[in-house]
Every structure is written in structure tokens, then in C-alpha cells.
Amino acid sequence: MRYTRLSVRGFAVWGRVGEEHVELLSGSPLEGCPTVIGSVARSEAVWLPPVVPPVFYAVGMNYTRHIEHARALGDTKAVLPKRPEIGYRANNALTGHLSPIVKPVEVAGRFEAEPELVAVIGRTLHRASYEEARSGVFGWTIGNDVSARTWQHEDRTFWRSKNADTFKPMGPWIETEVDAMAQTTTLRVDGEVRASFPTGGMVFDPYDYVVEMTRYLTLHPGDVLWMGAESTCQLEPGNTVDVEISGIGVLTNPVHLEGNHP
């Protein structure tokens, strides 16, 4: 099943995605069994982030190749993790499928896309076992962890380098019936493949993270966990970037320069 959120006459409405139409739902599938209250053609859908998380968690470097690349660029902190450790992102950075990524005029240097698998939590979890972690994931969506590297190195935190408005496209929907670890992640810019890698080729998988995280904190329905990327690529205003994860879908966003977008 595929669930999403759409903007309908200015209101956020949950939907169940079909081949040609999206059925509009009376409420969130994370909170019960909503009924169908209408439909909209997929071609006319205005896509929102498929969930607004109570807490937005993000893994750092979780693929060996990404760690090696960062080390080659002089990042002395880029080392293979010995255990799952989590970070946080800000909801204000979220934007939906087909919405623009807006590059601030102050950004100079590397402005990069990072294609990521996103786990959506479906139940309250505390001190979860590995099997409880597996059953506690409601479904999977796609994220693009847009990063302004100069800001990342200048600032003490990631407050603007990864959390500026529109820097976290997510969508287009949540897929509930897929083995996410058996898929392939592909990053394209203007239709050209810039990266392709096994989605499940992580140092620690999502369930490892859930087990470790819930030793110390409680996860709640709707929380999201972005799982890191193996590869990154440069973005420029005028580009269109696609992040595809087989079995889930394609997240597409144009890149605009601040002040030059509709």
C-alpha cells in the first residue's frame, strides 16, 4: 500500500495512492483505519511530505564509500562508526515531491544532493528488540538530504547547512509492502545517472538504529529515520534531481536560486 499527503484546496489531506488516482482519506493511517472521502487524479495531485514527523531523526555517515569520500576531502571525523548513533533534522526543511529546492543566494561551493532511504515508524517503541524494530516500521519513503558544505564546515552545528528551508525533500509516498534492504538507490540530475548503489549496503541497518535508539528514547508513530547515502553529487539552479529507490518510487525536485523561483 502507498500512503501520502496532498494539498487539497489549501488543506493537508491523507491519501492512498493508486495507479491513476489518489483516494482521499478521512484521517491518518498511522492512527487507525480511515475511510475514503474522495479522490484526485495523480496528474493533478499537489504532493506534500508524506508525513510530518513528531521527531525527525537522521543517520550520519552510514555507507563505507561515503566515509572514504569524505575522508579524501579532508574530513578527519569521517571514520567507520563502531555503533549506531543518531542526529536530528528540522521539520521546517521538509518539502514535497515536485516542489523546488531553493538554493540561498549566500551559498557558495559544494551544494549537494544525498539520496536516502527513510523509515517511517508505525508504533510506539521503547527498548525494542530487533524483531520488534522490524515490525515497528510502518513503511518506507525517499529523502534527499540537500547539504551546503561550506556552511557545514563553518558552523558549529548543521543548523543551516542541512536545515535551511526546502533542504529536505521527502516523498512522494510511504510504501508499506517492500523489502527496503533489497532495493537499489539511483540518483539522477537532468536525467543523467550520477550514482547508483545497493540501498541495503549500510554499516548499520534501520533496525540496528531503532534498537540502539530505543534504549534511551521512545519512538512514536510518524517519527522518521533517514538512513544516510553512499554517494552525493553537485546541484545547480536549473537542475532537476531525481532520487529513485526501486520498489518505492521516484522523488523529483527542481532546483531554483532564491528569488528566481515562482
Side-chain angles (χ1 to χ4, degrees):
M1 204 71 69
R2 291 174 170 176
Y3 294 100
T4 193
R5 293 167 62 253
L6 303 180
S7 178
V8 179
R9 294 186 291 275
F11 294 93
V13 180
W14 278 91
R16 185 164 54 224
V17 182
E19 290 300 317
E20 297 184 0
H21 292 82
V22 180
E23 294 178 327
L24 304 179
L25 302 177
S26 60
S28 167
L30 289 162
E31 298 173 353
C33 299
T35 58
V36 177
I37 58 174
S39 69
V40 63
R42 275 181 56 166
S43 60
E44 299 175 2
V46 179
W47 306 88
L48 299 173
V51 63
V52 177
V55 184
F56 184 167
Y57 298 98
V59 176
M61 295 180 182
N62 196 30
Y63 289 81
T64 301
R65 183 177 174 185
H66 190 183
I67 295 167
E68 292 171 347
H69 175 70
R71 189 184 303 122
L73 291 175
D75 186 349
T76 58
K77 296 182 180 179
V79 295
L80 199 68
K82 296 181 179 180
R83 61 186 176 91
E85 293 187 77
I86 199 67
Y88 296 85
R89 299 289 180 265
N91 281 359
N92 69 277
L94 290 169
T95 195
H97 174 58
L98 300 180
S99 295
I101 298 163
V102 180
K103 181 181 181 181
V105 293
E106 297 90 349
V107 169
R110 291 159 55 213
F111 184 66
E112 296 184 332
E114 297 186 32
E116 304 201 8
L117 176 70
V118 180
V120 181
I121 301 301
R123 65 179 65 172
T124 302
L125 296 169
H126 185 69
R127 294 196 176 274
S129 68
Y130 191 86
E131 288 306 314
E132 288 170 337
R134 287 178 61 90
S135 64
V137 173
F138 175 75
W140 308 90
T141 188
I142 302 168
N144 184 351
D145 182 15
V146 175
S147 304
R149 301 302 186 190
T150 299
W151 286 353
Q152 185 172 335
H153 298 303
E154 287 179 348
D155 299 342
R156 289 184 298 171
T157 71
F158 291 159
W159 72 277
R160 57 176 181 163
S161 65
K162 288 181 174 285
N163 294 315
D165 292 346
T166 77
F167 276 24
K168 293 294 169 285
M170 184 169 69
W173 47 65
I174 303 166
E175 172 61 67
T176 64
E177 299 175 6
V178 65
D179 179 0
M181 296 297 97
Q183 305 309 313
T184 299
T185 299
T186 304
L187 175 64
R188 293 187 295 268
V189 176
D190 297 335
E192 178 185 347
V193 175
R194 298 292 184 87
S196 184
F197 56 89
T199 308
M202 303 170 183
V203 179
F204 296 106
D205 71 25
Y207 316 116
D208 293 324
Y209 272 91
V210 169
V211 169
E212 181 70 10
M213 291 165 66
T214 60
R215 292 177 62 191
Y216 309 103
L217 52 86
T218 302
L219 293 175
H220 297 278
D223 286 346
V224 298
L225 175 58
W226 288 42
M227 291 307 308
E230 183 186 87
S231 301
T232 69
C233 79
Q234 176 73 14
L235 296 177
E236 300 292 348
N239 290 155
T240 297
V241 57
D242 299 322
V243 179
E244 179 174 3
I245 300 181
S246 58
I248 300 178
V250 183
L251 171 66
T252 298
N253 299 94
V255 183
H256 294 165
L257 183 66
E258 183 181 16
N260 289 355
H261 63 283

